[in-house]
Amino acid sequence: MHVSHHLANDPLTRNIVYPFANASFLARNPPLCIEGGDDVYVFDRRGKRYIDGQGGLWNVNAGHGRAEVKRAIVQQLDKLSFYSQFGNTATLPAAELAEVMCRMAEPEGMRRVFFSSGGSEAVEAAIKLARQYWRLSGHPERFKFISLRLAYHGVTLGALSLNGRTPYREQYEPLLPGFYQVESPYQYRNPFTADPLELGRLCADLLEREIIYQGPGSVAAFIAEPIQGAGGVIVPPPNFWPLVREVCDRHDVLLISDEVVTGFGRSGSLFGCRAFNVKPDIMTFAKGINSGYIPLGATMINERIAQAFETHDESEFSPHAFMHGNTYAGHPVACAAAIANLRIVEQEDLPANAKEVGAYFLDRLKEMAVRHPNIGEVRGMGLMIGVELVADAETKQPFDLSERFGAKIWEICVAKGVLMRNLADTFIISPPLTLKKEHVDLVVDVFDQAISAVE
Ligand SMILES: Cc1ncc(COP(=O)(O)O)c(C=O)c1O
């Protein structure tokens, strides 16, 4: 593919490999360069202002440029920019943050935290903790993992093997053995039933059938996002998670809640699993843990898992030692940012704001959908919203992506100062949790006009 010399030489695209992107497309359509941020707004190179309807990448929960977070970062840098958690050294911010997180996740029964640098790493650690837990408990044969179709758990080979979307997987196959996916409770698109509770029951049954088929004694854990995010904001029926917990208990399978997007308020509850009244055994975090000011991931384990790692054997290579960790595990600057960020989450009760403003957002979008035959479904929970566009609402036939229906709407929204993520013609709305109703009105008006223009 030939591209014009001028565009191929754009400094934004000349030397970088972008994530999840087609280099030829980007060479011809250079990305929008963001240079500034203030609360729910970001600014481009010309100073044009946008409402950040995607909250960075559903991670800037406390908003851009928060003075409290910046101050915590600078104070930590003034003291110490880095020291390692390896080889019997430690830093205080990680220990303090772990204490804060264990207090916040006390109702879920979480006891300890392992730190890393992002969501994929947090999931990777969860996989290894679960496998080692079963070895330490005398069941090394429990090594398999089950996840959901349409799941997104990250990009490292372990996390990728849990993902449930073919285009993300197929270029990198073969993936790890022992990883299986079952049907996701996707209310808008499933071949089973239109009744949500029946669907919740059925999908939990399918999980149980898979566990039995694999041999219940061979499954280490089931992992899922409380609300599937990158799969298109798929909110499960209310009975799904409680039934999943029952299925896992019946077969002694661990339950891992991937809270990388839902953690710390986005769903309208502090944690996604709390919204469904379920206590997992392991929880994974990143993104909203410090609103993206510095990369950070975390994996929490409950008392049951934590206890298995306790031993009288104090040798370095004891099977009870967790033989895993990145240089940046517990990075003091990232942890200091997280402590300041979580203080904002609690003091400003951002989960409550996400719940209230999210409900208003959903109402306004549903009102708008009535006027647009190409909106198949508006769905979401808290400030995690999906708007699925379809060529035919009657048959739910998706658009051929080469028609660029969603892409054209996206371009108009950007021109009018609204950023949302268009993922295969589902618009994902995930703004900072500080969003107000007046911002919602603005986003909905622009979205409405953009859809009308393209229709
Ligand atoms: C639920 C979930 N888990 C894990 C990840 C991976 O996180 P990261 O991109 O920080 O590696 C993501 C990223 O979007 C996610 O949505």
Side-chain angles (χ1 to χ4, degrees):
M1 174 78 59
H2 275 279
V3 297
S4 84
H5 178 70
H6 166 70
L7 285 176
N9 248 335
D10 187 307
L12 277 181
T13 55
R14 200 164 44 213
N15 302 112
I16 300 185
V17 177
Y18 278 93
F20 287 96
N22 178 328
S24 310
F25 175 83
L26 278 182
R28 273 174 284 119
N29 305 272
L32 174 67
C33 187
I34 302 298
E35 284 210 338
D38 180 17
D39 192 22
V40 302
Y41 297 105
V42 290
F43 302 87
D44 71 12
R45 292 197 276 191
R46 292 166 300 143
K48 178 175 167 172
R49 191 176 83 167
Y50 303 82
I51 289 196
D52 186 8
Q54 51 185 56
L57 198 56
W58 31 32
N59 60 340
V60 187
N61 291 7
H64 295 274
R66 296 294 303 247
E68 306 92 312
V69 183
K70 290 193 287 188
R71 206 177 309 123
I73 290 171
V74 171
Q75 278 174 357
Q76 181 55 43
L77 283 172
D78 282 342
K79 265 191 276 186
L80 174 75
S81 55
F82 177 76
Y83 214 80
S84 146
Q85 283 194 325
F86 286 45
N88 235 358
T89 56
T91 56
L92 269 182
E96 273 173 35
L97 174 58
E99 196 176 332
V100 170
M101 290 174 69
C102 285
R103 173 179 55 75
M104 292 174 98
E106 215 237 316
E108 281 69 30
M110 293 296 133
R111 262 281 278 124
R112 287 181 185 275
V113 194
F114 173 82
F115 290 112
S116 53
S117 301
S120 302
E121 286 182 5
V123 169
E124 214 65 36
I127 293 169
K128 290 172 85 169
L129 283 161
R131 281 201 172 159
Q132 192 170 354
Y133 164 81
W134 283 117
R135 284 184 166 262
L136 293 174
S137 307
H139 293 286
E141 68 285 358
R142 278 191 181 267
F143 60 81
K144 296 176 185 171
F145 289 85
I146 303 178
S147 55
L148 292 177
R149 292 192 182 178
L150 293 171
Y152 187 84
H153 296 291
V155 292
T156 46
L157 278 171
L160 177 61
S161 303
L162 297 166
N163 280 0
R165 222 176 195 176
T166 309
Y168 294 173
R169 298 167 58 93
E170 63 187 351
Q171 298 300 322
Y172 313 102
E173 289 180 329
L175 301 181
L176 298 186
F179 287 66
Y180 306 90
Q181 282 78 46
V182 293
E183 284 291 338
S184 144
Y186 190 178
Q187 299 183 57
Y188 183 61
R189 289 185 192 279
N190 75 81
F192 310 117
T193 173
D195 175 23
L197 294 182
E198 197 179 324
L199 181 65
R201 209 172 317 115
L202 210 136
C203 288
D205 280 350
L206 289 174
L207 169 63
E208 184 157 32
R209 284 169 70 92
E210 184 68 20
I211 291 171
I212 292 168
Y213 172 72
Q214 292 295 338
S218 73
V219 180
F222 170 70
I223 179 171
E225 305 147 85
I227 297 161
Q228 292 189 292
V233 187
I234 297 166
V235 184
N239 60 344
F240 177 68
W241 270 86
L243 288 171
V244 161
R245 181 71 263 189
E246 284 176 25
V247 167
C248 289
D249 286 345
R250 234 179 344 263
H251 301 286
D252 209 11
V253 166
L254 299 178
L255 177 57
I256 306 174
S257 183
D258 184 348
E259 302 268 355
V260 166
V261 170
T262 49
F264 304 111
R266 181 156 296 283
S267 72
S269 295
L270 190 57
F271 303 117
C273 61
R274 194 176 288 181
F276 296 107
N277 214 6
V278 161
K279 293 179 173 50
D281 299 290
I282 301 179
M283 296 166 83
T284 52
F285 299 96
K287 298 191 188 275
I289 191 172
N290 69 8
S291 294
Y293 282 68
I294 312 263
L296 182 66
T299 309
M300 293 190 88
I301 53 177
N302 66 8
E303 182 68 28
R304 173 185 179 182
I305 314 284
Q307 254 186 15
F309 285 82
E310 287 165 17
T311 174
H312 296 298
D313 172 6
E314 295 181 357
S315 64
E316 187 176 357
F317 294 127
S318 155
H320 288 78
F322 187 41
M323 300 306 283
H324 179 79
N326 306 98
T327 300
Y328 296 131
H331 196 293
V333 182
C335 291
I339 295 166
N341 172 70
L342 294 181
R343 201 173 292 134
I344 294 174
V345 169
E346 290 192 308
Q347 282 176 355
E348 298 183 7
D349 201 355
L350 293 185
N353 192 63
K355 186 174 223 159
E356 188 191 334
V357 177
Y360 177 72
F361 215 144
L362 268 181
D363 283 349
R364 292 255 11 229
L365 287 168
K366 282 180 178 167
E367 259 165 48
M368 174 188 95
V370 175
R371 294 191 291 280
H372 297 290
N374 294 112
I375 295 183
E377 193 185 39
V378 174
R379 54 180 178 255
M381 198 164 154
L383 281 171
M384 197 174 167
I385 295 172
V387 179
E388 184 165 340
L389 303 172
V390 290
D392 183 335
E394 206 56 39
T395 62
K396 303 184 182 176
Q397 174 68 34
F399 278 103
D400 186 338
L401 288 182
S402 65
E403 281 185 46
R404 303 191 74 250
F405 186 77
K408 287 179 205 157
I409 293 170
W410 184 84
E411 282 160 10
I412 296 173
C413 289
V414 169
K416 290 178 182 285
V418 169
L419 284 181
M420 292 179 286
R421 193 155 161 234
N422 171 27
L423 207 63
D425 279 354
T426 293
F427 275 74
I428 291 179
I429 304 174
S430 56
L433 308 186
T434 52
L435 197 81
K436 297 190 172 70
K437 288 180 184 167
E438 70 230 41
H439 303 126
V440 173
D441 292 337
L442 219 145
V443 171
V444 174
D445 288 348
V446 166
F447 200 14
D448 198 356
Q449 290 162 25
I451 299 172
S452 296
V454 177
E455 270 170 352

